[in-house]
Amino acid sequence: MALPRGEDPAASVMREVEQMATGSPILEELAPIYYRHVPDDDIASRRPEDLLGAMVSHVELASDRPIGTARVRVHTPTDDTDGWSCGGPVVEIVTDDMPFLVDSVAAELTRLGRALRLVIHPVL
């Protein structure tokens, strides 16, 4: 798909994500802010369905979390089973505000020799 003249590739991808979220009030509200801290190059290099799928997966994990508890899921999504993919495992965490949680998890994964390809840290 050709981009309109002068349009940023990341903005084009996010516009598609937002269009795909249409019809779900939660996703419509979340789509414009979920990826706001992710670098444009990371957004532009991914398929809209993968970005939407990651957001939906995280929302589903958060939907059944009692206040004061943490939900953690590690999985490898695939197009066939999940409708989206990212080429490797995903660590999803939903919890109340915990300073340094992202840094601590990233440091431990690095210590274990696991490369981080993308960190998405929506604060809602």
Side-chain angles (χ1 to χ4, degrees), residues 13-65:
V13 170
M14 285 311 303
R15 189 177 65 253
E16 287 186 57
V17 171
E18 290 174 16
Q19 288 172 348
M20 294 166 69
T22 300
S24 168
I26 291 172
L27 296 179
E28 284 179 10
E29 185 176 334
L30 190 57
I33 61 173
Y34 188 84
Y35 291 103
R36 68 180 165 215
H37 299 298
V38 177
D40 286 349
D41 288 347
D42 286 325
I43 297 295
S45 68
R46 287 176 169 70
R47 301 180 312 171
E49 55 268 29
D50 295 337
L51 293 172
L52 181 69
M55 184 174 60
V56 167
S57 180
H58 207 186
V59 167
E60 288 173 351
L61 182 66
S63 69
D64 185 28
R65 183 190 70 89

Side-chain angles (χ1 to χ4, degrees), residues 90-119:
V90 173
V91 178
E92 296 172 325
I93 302 170
V94 180
T95 188
D96 297 329
D97 186 29
M98 294 182 75
F100 308 109
L101 176 66
V102 172
D103 292 337
S104 298
V105 170
E108 182 61 13
L109 290 170
T110 299
R111 187 188 73 75
L112 293 171
R114 304 295 184 210
L116 300 178
R117 291 189 224 150
L118 177 64
V119 175

